[in-house]
Amino acid sequence: MKLKLIIEVYEPKNIYNGDETGLFFRALPSKTLSLKSEECKGGKLSKEYLTVFLCANMEREFEKPLVIGKAQKPRCFKNVDPTKFPIIWRGNNKAWMTGSIMEDWLHTFNNKLKKQNRRVILFIDNATCHPHLNLSNVHLAWLPPTTKHTQHKIGRAHV
């Protein structure tokens, strides 16, 4: 009931949800199908990962994903301009979301909305890396600790 009261003053295009997830990009599957006659060997599990922050509104319009790797400018970007990617690339030594990276993203998002003369609500969890900011065009709404169920409800409300 409380969620309905919070979002009733916003149009669906102005209701956003954002969250980060880990992407283990070199991980092998933990299980596989094989025939009894085939030999199936395991290998060392890769722990290389990226953190990906995704944000979308209730009309399924996604913001450019924020991807965090271990290097500010990885070797694979040698002759490439990462600003031309369909993502926002950031780096830190653990490939984790930090308060400063999130704050930078929030200010950029707020400035974009200010230019569009839009006011939105953004639901995010209360992870320590999510700064409590007062922004002119983005109202931050904090999800309770049991986020999986709550975020699923928000995401499915207008599907």
Side-chain angles (χ1 to χ4, degrees):
M1 184 65 174
K2 189 176 180 183
L3 181 58
K4 285 182 182 180
L5 293 174
I6 293 170
I7 65 173
E8 72 181 3
V9 297
Y10 294 95
E11 296 177 43
K13 73 176 186 175
N14 294 326
I15 301 170
Y16 284 82
N17 185 28
D19 200 10
E20 55 269 327
T21 186
L23 174 64
F24 288 87
F25 62 91
R26 289 189 182 162
L28 295 171
S30 60
K31 296 181 181 183
T32 187
L33 295 175
S34 65
L35 299 173
K36 282 185 178 182
S37 61
E38 293 178 346
E39 188 176 338
C40 184
K41 294 183 178 179
K44 185 177 178 186
L45 295 177
S46 174
K47 294 183 181 177
E48 292 188 62
Y49 67 93
L50 303 169
T51 297
V52 182
F53 179 78
L54 299 169
C55 181
N57 67 15
M58 290 182 70
E59 291 187 345
R60 300 180 189 151
E61 298 168 343
F62 281 81
E63 293 300 308
K64 201 183 258 196
L66 170 63
V67 180
I68 306 164
K70 290 186 178 183
Q72 194 64 35
K73 181 130 182 174
R75 279 181 263 164
C76 61
F77 291 0
K78 184 178 179 185
N79 297 317
V80 180
D81 180 8
T83 61
K84 304 254 193 264
F85 292 165
I87 61 158
I88 301 166
W89 178 265
R90 295 291 180 267
N92 71 36
N93 61 350
K94 293 190 177 189
W96 288 351
M97 176 66 82
T98 64
S100 62
I101 292 173
M102 187 67 191
E103 186 172 338
D104 180 50
W105 185 89
L106 285 168
H107 283 295
T108 303
F109 183 52
N110 186 65
N111 289 338
K112 173 186 168 183
L113 295 167
K114 190 184 290 188
K115 289 176 186 172
Q116 296 174 1
N117 198 26
R118 285 175 59 197
R119 293 190 188 279
V120 304
I121 186 167
L122 171 61
F123 288 92
I124 55 177
D125 61 28
N126 52 7
T128 56
C129 60
H130 295 163
H132 290 256
L133 301 173
N134 289 319
L135 301 164
S136 60
N137 293 64
V138 178
H139 173 74
L140 298 177
W142 303 98
L143 294 171
T146 56
T147 58
K148 283 185 183 180
H149 180 69
T150 309
Q151 285 181 315
H152 182 73
K153 272 188 170 180
I154 293 168
R156 301 292 296 167
H158 277 80
V159 174

